[in-house]
Structures are given as C-alpha cells and as structure tokens.
C-alpha cells in the first residue's frame, strides 16, 4: 500500500537519524539499542505509532538479512508497547445526518454531482477513499441487470460489490452531466479547477478530505468527520438494520471480522435504563 510504504519510509529515516546522532554504525546495532530507541520513541509518540515504527525497522532488517548485509535481525526480539483496541475511534454519522449531508449538496453542478456520487459510493459500498478515487469509469459496470463497483483495495485486493440503487443513481447522474460514459479508461472521480470545472486529473484523497470538511460545515454537521467516517457509517447503519457482521466483512473486504467490528457503533451509547440498573 503506498500510504504504508510512505509511513515506513519516514519511520526508517527517523531511526537512521537517531543512530547517526549517536554515531551507531550498522554492524553495532543490537536488540538492546533498538529497545532503547523504542522506549525513547514511546515518550513522545502514541503506542500505535511506536508499533508502526518498530514494524518498519523489522522489515528493514529482514531486507538486510536477505541481502546478506547483516547476519541477523536485531529488531526481531524487541517487543513493542501493548495496545489493544476493541472499539474504533472513527467519527460516525447517523443515517439522518448522512441524508442531511447528501441533501445539502447542489445536484445541478459538475462538482456537486461528483461530491454526492463519491460520498455515496463510500457509504453504500463500505469502500476506502483510496479505492474510490482509484476507480476508472469502467470500474462502474453492468453485470446482468445490476450495476457493480470494481474496487482495488489495499494489499492488492480485487473486490467487486453490487451498486446500491441510491449510489447507482448518484453515479449515473454524475456521468450523464459530465459526459464521461464513453471514456472507459479515464478516472471516474476527477479534480476541479478554479472555475469549478472538472479536469482530466484524478482527484487526490487529500482533496476528498477537504471536500468532506467543507460539505460538513455547509450541512451544519461536526467538522471532525473524514473519509473513513463513511465506511464506518455504512457498516453501522447496515448492522442496525439487521445485517450480519459476516456479510459486512465480505462487503468491506476485511480479512477478519474483528476489523469489521471496530466499525460497528450500534452499541456505543449507554442508555439511561442500563445505568439505572445500578441500585444502591
């Protein structure tokens, strides 16, 4: 995944700078020194960040061992901080809030139709933003009587999911006004210029994040939402309406149901009735 590679690159550069500042040569690195680095990093960074940096260092030394640069991986024996998460922290919108957000988008402009279609695909297919912005026009295709989305998720996963009828309507309206139906091998979701006209360039996920914040302000919704909000919102709404974790896992292309459950917020709120059971 490009984002993971970039994060690992930054982690390795930080470790290399730490070694350089202390004049530690590559042959002298051992588990004790790496454990010291991990401990110092833990004083200024969160446990997930420390675990990610340690994973990057382990991968670096695995590569060096394979290339016969070093005889062993000194990071293999180093333990990272314990960090267990059972509930996701991604902000989630209710179905009413999501409807409010979609309804405030102007459906009479290229940009408005693009934004509505993009959010609709994320909500109704549980797709990551990187998979959605990576779609071409021919990744929205007809199979039988239904339309489908072809998604290329992280880890090289090839994933197809039927298009929800609302997402289908959003994408159809967007393609019809933009006149891109025949341009099969071009980006489905494109950036806009200063004149609010679509360009031929694929929209970047950072632009999507900025768009979502802007749309949230317009709809008078919490502005702390992001791209992943719609993945969590879609899964939570699906489960609230009787869907199963197993099917949600299949739609979201998760490896484990434990990952899917992190997006399930159906039991987040504690009711007053439950608190009143504490009878003293």
């Amino acid at each position: 995944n490009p984002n993971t590679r970039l994060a690992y690159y930054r982690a390795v550069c930080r470790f290399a700078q730490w070694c350089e500042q202390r004049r530690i040569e590559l042959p002298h690195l051992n588990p004790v020194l790496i454990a010291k680095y991990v401990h110092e990093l833990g004083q200024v960074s969160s446990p997930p960040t420390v675990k990610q940096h340690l994973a990057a260092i382990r991968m670096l030394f695995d590569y060096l061992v394979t290339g016969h640069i070093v005889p062993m991986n000194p990071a293999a024996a180093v333990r990272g901080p314990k960090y267990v998460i059972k509930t996701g922290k991604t902000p989630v919108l209710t179905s009413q809030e999501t409807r409010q957000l979609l309804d405030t988008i102007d459906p009479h402009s290229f940009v408005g139709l693009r934004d509505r279609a993009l959010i609709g695909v994320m909500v109704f297919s549980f797709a990551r933003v990187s998979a959605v912005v990576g779609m071409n026009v021919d990744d929205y295709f007809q199979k039988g009587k239904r339309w489908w989305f072809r998604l290329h998720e992280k880890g090289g996963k090839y994933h197809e999911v039927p298009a929800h009828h609302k997402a289908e309507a959003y994408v159809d309206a967007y393609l019809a006004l933009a006149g891109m139906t025949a341009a099969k091998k071009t980006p489905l979701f494109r950036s806009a210029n200063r004149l609010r006209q679509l360009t031929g360039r694929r929209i970047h996920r950072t632009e999507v994040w900025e768009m979502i914040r802007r749309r949230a302000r317009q709809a008078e919704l919490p502005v702390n939402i992001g791209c992943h909000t719609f993945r969590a919102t879609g899964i939570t709404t699906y489960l609230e309406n009787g869907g199963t974790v197993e099917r949600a896992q299949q739609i979201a292309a998760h490896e484990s149901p434990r990952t899917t459950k992190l997006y399930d917020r159906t039991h987040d709120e504690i009711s007053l009735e439950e608190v009143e059971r504490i009878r003293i």
Side-chain angles (χ1 to χ4, degrees), residues 118-155:
L118 201 158
I119 292 173
V121 174
M122 288 195 289
V123 169
F124 292 112
S125 69
F126 308 167
R128 296 178 178 85
V129 63
S130 56
V132 176
V133 300
M135 293 175 67
N136 287 333
V137 174
D138 62 353
D139 288 323
Y140 173 59
F141 64 98
Q142 191 170 15
K143 184 191 292 185
K145 294 183 179 180
R146 295 300 307 270
W147 286 81
W148 290 64
F149 296 127
R150 183 185 297 114
L151 302 164
H152 299 274
E153 295 282 4
K154 69 178 185 179

Side-chain angles (χ1 to χ4, degrees), residues 12-26 29:
V12 168
C13 286
R14 183 168 180 170
F15 175 64
Q17 290 171 355
W18 183 86
C19 293
E20 186 175 3
Q21 289 170 359
R22 288 156 183 78
R23 298 182 180 180
I24 300 173
E25 300 289 340
L26 183 61
L29 282 168

Side-chain angles (χ1 to χ4, degrees), residues 8-195:
Y8 277 21
Y9 168 74
R10 290 170 176 167
V12 168
C13 286
R14 183 168 180 170
F15 175 64
Q17 290 171 355
W18 183 86
C19 293
E20 186 175 3
Q21 289 170 359
R22 288 156 183 78
R23 298 182 180 180
I24 300 173
E25 300 289 340
L26 183 61
H28 300 150
L29 282 168
N30 57 50
V32 174
L33 288 172
I34 294 177
K36 177 178 173 59
Y37 172 74
V38 169
H39 175 74
E40 291 183 8
L41 184 62
Q43 306 301 309
V44 295
S45 301
S46 65
T49 299
V50 176
K51 290 174 73 70
Q52 183 187 65
H53 280 235
L54 180 56
I57 295 169
R58 284 174 178 156
M59 185 170 288
L60 168 66
F61 278 101
D62 280 341
Y63 174 77
L64 295 176
V65 169
T66 303
H68 304 288
I69 306 300
V70 295
M72 57 169 284
N73 186 339
V78 179
R79 287 190 175 185
K82 289 186 178 181
Y83 182 73
V84 179
I85 180 169
K86 295 183 179 180
T87 304
K89 297 181 179 179
T90 304
V92 175
L93 297 177
T94 65
S95 57
Q96 292 81 9
E97 289 173 330
T98 308
R99 182 76 268 149
Q100 178 181 336
L101 175 65
L102 291 168
D103 287 345
T104 58
I105 298 176
D106 179 16
H108 300 101
S109 67
F110 291 124
V111 173
L113 287 174
R114 180 204 65 184
D115 294 351
R116 188 179 67 171
L118 201 158
I119 292 173
V121 174
M122 288 195 289
V123 169
F124 292 112
S125 69
F126 308 167
R128 296 178 178 85
V129 63
S130 56
V132 176
V133 300
M135 293 175 67
N136 287 333
V137 174
D138 62 353
D139 288 323
Y140 173 59
F141 64 98
Q142 191 170 15
K143 184 191 292 185
K145 294 183 179 180
R146 295 300 307 270
W147 286 81
W148 290 64
F149 296 127
R150 183 185 297 114
L151 302 164
H152 299 274
E153 295 282 4
K154 69 178 185 179
K157 297 177 187 174
Y158 171 83
H159 181 52
E160 292 182 356
V161 60
H164 188 281
H165 71 276
K166 290 185 178 179
E168 182 180 328
Y170 295 159
V171 175
D172 284 345
Y174 163 61
L175 288 175
L177 186 63
M180 299 189 308
T181 307
K184 299 295 185 181
K185 297 298 180 182
T186 61
L188 176 59
F189 295 109
R190 306 178 182 186
S191 63
N193 58 26
R194 294 181 179 180
L195 300 177

Side-chain angles (χ1 to χ4, degrees), residues 179-216:
M180 299 189 308
T181 307
K184 299 295 185 181
K185 297 298 180 182
T186 61
L188 176 59
F189 295 109
R190 306 178 182 186
S191 63
N193 58 26
R194 294 181 179 180
L195 300 177
R196 307 284 287 172
Q197 298 171 333
L198 297 180
T199 69
R201 183 175 64 84
R202 189 181 305 277
I203 191 171
H204 192 269
R205 60 192 183 91
T206 304
E207 296 175 75
V208 177
W209 179 82
E210 293 171 348
M211 176 271 289
I212 290 170
R213 294 298 182 101
R214 185 174 66 254
R215 295 297 184 185

Side-chain angles (χ1 to χ4, degrees), residues 196-269:
R196 307 284 287 172
Q197 298 171 333
L198 297 180
T199 69
R201 183 175 64 84
R202 189 181 305 277
I203 191 171
H204 192 269
R205 60 192 183 91
T206 304
E207 296 175 75
V208 177
W209 179 82
E210 293 171 348
M211 176 271 289
I212 290 170
R213 294 298 182 101
R214 185 174 66 254
R215 295 297 184 185
R217 284 193 296 270
Q218 292 174 354
E220 298 181 349
L221 294 172
V223 294
N224 65 330
I225 64 173
C227 302
H228 233 51
T229 291
F230 300 106
R231 185 170 171 87
T233 296
I235 292 174
T236 299
T237 305
Y238 171 79
L239 295 173
E240 285 176 344
N241 288 285
T244 65
V245 172
E246 291 74 19
R247 285 299 186 187
Q249 174 192 353
Q250 186 179 4
I251 298 171
H254 282 146
E255 287 287 347
S256 168
R258 292 177 58 187
T259 306
T260 308
K261 289 177 182 178
L262 293 177
Y263 294 88
D264 177 13
R265 305 302 175 77
T266 56
H267 303 295
D268 270 11
E269 293 186 4

